[in-house]
Amino acid sequence: MSLSRFVEKWTIPKYPPDSVSGEDLDAAEQQLGVCFPEDYRQAVLDVGLPRPTIALLHAIVERELDLHDLGNFYSPKEIVEETLGWHEIGMPDRLVAIASDGSGNKFCFNADQLGGDNADMQAIWFFDHDFGTVDEVAPSFHAWIDALCDVEPWHGDQS
């Protein structure tokens, strides 16, 4: 599973992933009027919400990769708070924030796609709050996490 691999590669065992309950996810879905994709639900229920270290950002920056760093996954309660709060200050209403980068930009699902015919997987979108732009970063939660798992750690000058 890709989220387990992410935990092994980009977190510290001393700080394990935060557990998530199905009831909490259900409550967030109800409050936002959406259904999270099955690949996301199953991953966070099985693994929890990882706390990535700065090593991921460092590797992305040093390797000059065309990826956004992942700084923080949101708990179901934070998903609701961040989504509704950011809607009030300019994030498009169709976006549901599930995580952020180190600068507070949001990784999101598009609510217009949630609960449709393909409920198993939905794209991950990136909302850049500085520029007000929204770009697709991966076709699914697993594809997004797999791309971050494919980043090799940076160990200094490797020339």
Side-chain angles (χ1 to χ4, degrees):
M1 169 176 280
S2 56
L3 195 57
S4 295
R5 190 169 144 225
F6 181 90
V7 168
E8 290 173 17
K9 191 166 191 174
W10 297 116
T11 69
I12 298 172
K14 182 178 177 179
Y15 300 104
D18 294 328
S19 310
V20 175
S21 75
E23 294 79 21
D24 289 344
L25 278 177
D26 293 344
E29 288 176 328
Q30 186 175 28
Q31 288 177 304
L32 295 171
V34 299
C35 291
F36 294 121
E38 191 57 33
D39 66 338
Y40 168 77
R41 280 187 67 90
Q42 203 56 57
V44 300
L45 289 172
D46 290 348
V47 177
L49 300 171
R51 302 177 199 180
T53 67
I54 195 77
L56 175 58
L57 171 61
H58 188 69
I60 290 170
V61 170
E62 291 298 330
R63 295 184 184 287
E64 299 179 4
L65 301 175
D66 188 23
L67 291 171
H68 300 284
D69 73 296
L70 172 56
N72 185 38
F73 280 100
Y74 295 141
S75 69
K77 180 180 177 185
E78 291 169 325
I79 289 172
V80 173
E81 292 169 353
E82 291 289 323
T83 297
L84 298 178
W86 277 87
H87 286 169
E88 291 178 7
I89 56 175
M91 186 172 78
D93 288 344
R94 71 184 184 281
L95 298 181
V96 175
I98 61 163
S100 65
D101 70 3
S103 299
N105 298 303
K106 309 298 178 196
F107 293 100
C108 307
F109 290 119
N110 181 336
D112 293 343
Q113 299 171 341
L114 298 178
D117 293 338
N118 188 3
D120 292 343
M121 297 183 291
Q122 291 299 331
I124 298 293
W125 297 84
F126 183 76
F127 171 66
D128 185 313
H129 63 69
D130 289 326
F131 299 101
T133 57
V134 178
D135 298 298
E136 183 177 330
V137 294
S140 69
F141 180 77
H142 281 314
W144 175 49
I145 297 301
D146 283 344
L148 295 173
C149 288
D150 289 343
V151 174
E152 290 302 320
W154 181 259
H155 301 289
D157 184 12
Q158 299 182 353
S159 51

